[in-house]
Amino acid sequence: MTAPLLPSGTDATEATQTADGSKAPSDPSRPAPSEPAVRPPARDRYFDLLRAVALFRVVLYHLVGWAWLPVVFPSMGVMFALAGNLMARSLKRPAVQVVRGRMRRLLPPLWLLGAIGVSGMLAQGWGPDDDGHPGWWFLHLTFWVLPLSDPPYAEGVAGIQGVLGEDWAAELAGPLWYIRAYLWFVLLSPFLLKLLRALPWPTIAAPLALSAILEFGWLSLPSERIDSALTDFSTFGACWILGMAHQQGVLKRLPRYAVPSLAPIVAAFGLWYAFHQGFSTGHDLDSIPFAQAVWSFATVLLLLHISPSWARWPRRLRRWDRLITLLNSRAVTIYLWHNVCILAAATLYDRLWGVDSLADHAPWLLESPWPVLLLAWILISGCVLAFGWVEDLAARRRPRLWPDGGSTGRRRSGTGAHRA
């Protein structure tokens, strides 16, 4: 944790006073008052909290499938907004350097997943003839290296009896749309930032307008790959750009009453449209991209408006510091592997139906999702230990097995000031 910055109006000279009020001897190694020391930016713990909640909600939703969970907390919109905020802050450096750094951090965890997953698919009989076009099959395999489009996977492959359910390859590849969308947002961010600075509100609104155009069939696209990429951009592009706009101070130019007054109206419209499109379990916001775009935009706008600046945790959240630090340190690993962990947890837990005493006297326990959720997180923890170190190598850090901040000493605690 970085040391707290000096209070506003306090310079380095005042900070060297001794307890009796006299000046401490000057240290020639200290910078002069006119040349303040450069401090690394403190982590915004509010954003860390949002990212941790988003990850937990994603895992829970992919297990239970409750349609109202994305309404309570639109995780994907929040995660894209936080990434957009970080990207805009990084773009103070040369764009090519920033984009290359983001790709370096993103791709190695995907390569490890692909090396294990594709090897498993090949071992279970997947090959070029499955698609009927061997040349295209080999070409599409390159999307496991650079996911400009969705990587291919084997459909209907057998699992491992009693350990991993059938069609595990589809579960493995399920989260990869996010990696593909994230990569495109990173590549486009230098141009989006220029547009944002020149035309802030038209740039923020453009993805929503595109989402409406696609929703109502006013634009036809030539291929499924282009359609999926453009749909994801239109659905979550406004959230990414909102994150950039927050970092650039665009949202602060609005009157303080504007967001609390308008965002609930926009959110209500998105929810109204979702219900008129048959919103329910099995047909949720993910199935209605325009409603997802509008609802996520409004929710992210409110969360960014609230946005307390927490360089240190509020007292009531300090107990969660190490858990939230771990989730943030291993966010990519958790997201990539959680679907397979859920499938394995469900497959292992189903074996308990073979225990007659449980099946006869406690079927409610065997049908409950909560033991499966606990087992899934145990397996996810195993993936963090086994594969998470790749995130450290990708970021050019010393590899760590369990980066929860516990080995760096006790963190300073306190309350952060609310942003103006």
Side-chain angles (χ1 to χ4, degrees), residues 138-158:
F138 284 105
L139 179 63
H140 290 163
L141 279 181
T142 61
F143 293 137
W144 282 100
V145 179
L146 186 63
L148 295 174
S149 187
D150 296 318
Y153 60 90
E155 296 183 1
V157 292

Side-chain angles (χ1 to χ4, degrees), residues 84-144:
N85 180 278
L86 183 61
M87 189 68 185
R89 188 177 69 179
S90 299
L91 282 170
K92 296 174 183 177
R93 296 181 281 121
V96 173
Q97 177 184 347
V98 173
V99 170
R100 185 172 61 244
R102 285 286 173 268
M103 292 177 65
R104 188 190 70 240
R105 288 184 175 218
L106 178 70
L107 295 180
L110 171 67
W111 295 340
L112 179 59
L113 178 81
I116 296 173
V118 172
S119 297
M121 297 180 217
L122 293 174
Q124 292 197 320
W126 187 48
D129 294 335
D130 283 8
D131 292 340
H133 301 282
W136 285 110
W137 185 84
F138 284 105
L139 179 63
H140 290 163
L141 279 181
T142 61
F143 293 137
W144 282 100

Side-chain angles (χ1 to χ4, degrees), residues 237-383:
C239 294
W240 183 280
I241 299 172
L242 270 181
M244 302 179 80
H246 179 267
Q247 199 283 329
Q248 294 289 297
V250 173
L251 303 183
K252 292 182 180 180
R253 302 173 196 169
L254 294 172
R256 289 193 60 82
Y257 62 82
V259 171
S261 300
L262 296 178
I265 298 174
V266 177
F269 170 72
L271 200 57
W272 170 85
Y273 184 81
F275 277 107
H276 278 71
Q277 296 298 312
F279 171 77
S280 62
T281 298
H283 190 67
D284 54 14
L285 288 181
D286 290 338
S287 306
I288 315 169
F290 180 61
Q292 174 79 284
V294 174
W295 178 262
S296 297
F297 170 82
T299 306
V300 165
L301 188 59
L302 278 173
L303 290 173
L304 292 178
H305 174 77
I306 297 169
S307 196
S309 183
W310 291 342
R312 293 173 292 176
W313 286 114
R315 184 180 300 274
R316 64 184 179 277
L317 293 176
R318 292 175 194 171
R319 70 183 68 178
W320 304 103
D321 177 31
R322 293 177 65 173
L323 175 60
I324 293 173
T325 298
L326 177 66
L327 292 174
N328 278 268
S329 299
R330 292 292 180 258
V332 177
T333 299
I334 292 170
Y335 186 81
L336 286 176
W337 289 95
H338 78 276
N339 258 17
V340 173
C341 290
I342 290 173
L343 179 62
T347 305
L348 291 169
Y349 194 69
D350 281 346
R351 298 178 66 175
L352 293 179
W353 284 99
V355 180
D356 292 338
S357 58
L358 286 175
D360 294 339
H361 300 101
W364 57 270
L365 180 62
L366 300 181
E367 294 171 354
S368 172
W370 305 118
V372 181
L373 179 66
L374 176 60
L375 181 56
W377 275 108
I378 293 174
L379 295 177
I380 290 171
S381 299
C383 289

